[in-house]
Amino acid sequence: LGVLGRAGRRDALPWVHAGWIGALIAGAATWWAAGRLVELSGARREVIEGVSALLAAALLFYISYWLDSKLEATRWEAFLGGRLREAASTGRLAALTGLTFVAVYRECFETVLFSQPLAARAGREGARPIAAGIGVGLARLAVLAALIFRFGRRLPLRRFFAASSALLYALCVVLAGHGIAALQEAAWLPLTPFAGPRGGWLGLHPTLEGVSVQALLLLAAGGAFVKLSAWRRPARGAAAGSSPREG
């Protein structure tokens, strides 16, 4: 919307709106289908919770690394902006609907996958807190969108993406702990308890299997940080070397 607004192509905005509205409808249908599939499968709640939690943890691991790798170059924004300008300039406005649908439905699918273990763990009594969390998230998202449209690149987006990456990775570690514990309750994984602290908010369960997986995730986070830091140093050095010098 920002790209098309700056280009003066307000005639293309309805096509963008059609894309994101369709994506939200498809996201709601995906949520219903996922819940229906769980009911028809007849699987135990612990199995559903464990598998969906581990899938969500894997997805969050990827997204947090992806966000961190985009701190220096926002390739996703460049990709979307380039495709939008190309579609608008060639008159293929229907392509804007498809592109917007893909961009928004991708987020809807990730939200469904992330929310399934929360819903399975909370049960009926947790429906209201989950709905409240969704409402708060939507409200903050609306405020953030308004700020981006109003101030654009003057916002510290690099810090925003860094904070988002850290939060997502923390959730990844928590969900991994809960997922391992749920599959252990269902007797799908071995259980080796030991004397140690337990923290539900942290996803910390004193079992060798769960703590080992969480430790591996933390090691992977350290390795990704080292790799990205090494990648940024040559890029910054090249940028500094290409700048003109005085004197």
Side-chain angles (χ1 to χ4, degrees), residues 165-226:
S165 177
L167 176 60
L168 289 176
Y169 205 85
L171 289 174
C172 167
V173 175
V174 171
L175 284 174
H178 286 317
I180 295 295
L183 292 180
Q184 286 173 331
E185 290 180 14
W188 276 40
L189 290 177
L191 175 63
T192 310
F194 64 90
R198 178 185 295 271
W201 282 92
L202 300 176
L204 185 60
H205 302 270
T207 67
L208 181 62
E209 295 79 10
V211 172
S212 297
V213 170
Q214 291 178 312
L216 288 175
L217 287 173
L218 293 175
L219 287 175
F225 176 78
V226 171

Side-chain angles (χ1 to χ4, degrees), residues 68-134:
D68 197 40
S69 67
K70 299 298 179 289
L71 294 181
E72 298 295 337
T74 52
R75 299 176 187 174
W76 180 239
E77 180 186 353
F79 169 79
L80 287 179
R83 294 299 185 276
L84 285 169
R85 283 188 288 269
E86 178 184 353
S89 62
T90 57
R92 294 182 294 135
L93 296 181
L96 297 178
T97 301
L99 181 63
T100 309
F101 179 90
V102 171
V104 176
Y105 181 72
R106 173 179 176 270
E107 306 302 327
C108 290
F109 183 78
E110 292 169 0
T111 301
V112 170
L113 185 58
F114 169 71
S115 301
Q116 282 297 332
L118 293 180
R121 187 175 184 82
R124 291 184 179 273
E125 62 275 10
R128 292 184 64 181
I130 291 177
I134 293 174

Side-chain angles (χ1 to χ4, degrees), residues 135-146:
V136 172
L138 288 175
R140 293 188 175 185
L141 181 62
V143 172
L144 178 63

